[in-house]
Amino acid sequence: MSERVWKALADSSRRQILDLLANGPKTTGELCNQVNSLDRCTVMKHLGLLVHANLVVIQREGRTRWNYLNPVPLVGILDNWTNARSIKLSRKLIEFKNEIESKENQ
């Protein structure tokens, strides 16, 4: 699952779409109008990848398709990414502190 999220985040156009959805749900038409550099077909392809990565959830109201940001996969990746690195960083800082203190005591 996280590989899908990383792949989805790798493209600047998809990140732009997620940024737009971070301000609230948007219809597909609104997204197409706000992402001027892409045609509707390309926006739909990007939305498909975002939906596949579970970063966007769609809800239909008649002919209107509402797109919502789903932050859950982002939070999961952020937690995994930062936890692994913060543990290593904490260990390095403790080692550095101990090294400094041992030099001061000599």
Side-chain angles (χ1 to χ4, degrees):
M1 179 63 131
S2 66
E3 285 189 32
R4 290 181 193 167
V5 175
W6 284 115
K7 181 178 179 182
L9 295 174
D11 185 88
S12 63
S13 296
R14 290 191 286 272
R15 291 191 307 270
Q16 181 183 6
I17 291 169
L18 292 175
D19 287 342
L20 291 169
L21 293 176
N23 296 321
K26 304 252 183 295
T27 65
T28 302
E30 290 172 328
L31 288 172
C32 291
N33 290 335
Q34 292 180 4
V35 182
N36 298 333
S37 60
L38 302 176
D39 60 41
R40 184 178 183 83
C41 183
T42 305
V43 171
M44 292 297 294
K45 284 183 180 182
H46 285 305
L47 281 170
L49 272 167
L50 292 169
V51 168
H52 186 65
N54 200 29
L55 290 168
V56 171
V57 177
I58 56 173
Q59 181 181 359
R60 296 188 185 276
E61 287 181 15
R63 293 182 57 149
T64 304
R65 174 181 150 151
W66 286 93
N67 301 279
Y68 294 83
L69 174 67
N70 178 17
V72 174
L74 292 171
V75 171
I77 281 186
L78 180 62
D79 284 347
N80 288 339
W81 182 263
T82 56
N83 285 342
R85 275 129 196 98
S86 64
I87 290 169
K88 288 178 185 177
L89 180 59
S90 296
R91 286 184 183 143
K92 291 287 185 190
L93 288 172
I94 290 169
E95 288 172 11
F96 181 66
K97 176 185 171 271
N98 291 339
E99 184 178 323
I100 296 286
E101 289 175 350
S102 71
K103 287 182 181 180
E104 287 176 353
N105 293 331
Q106 290 179 356

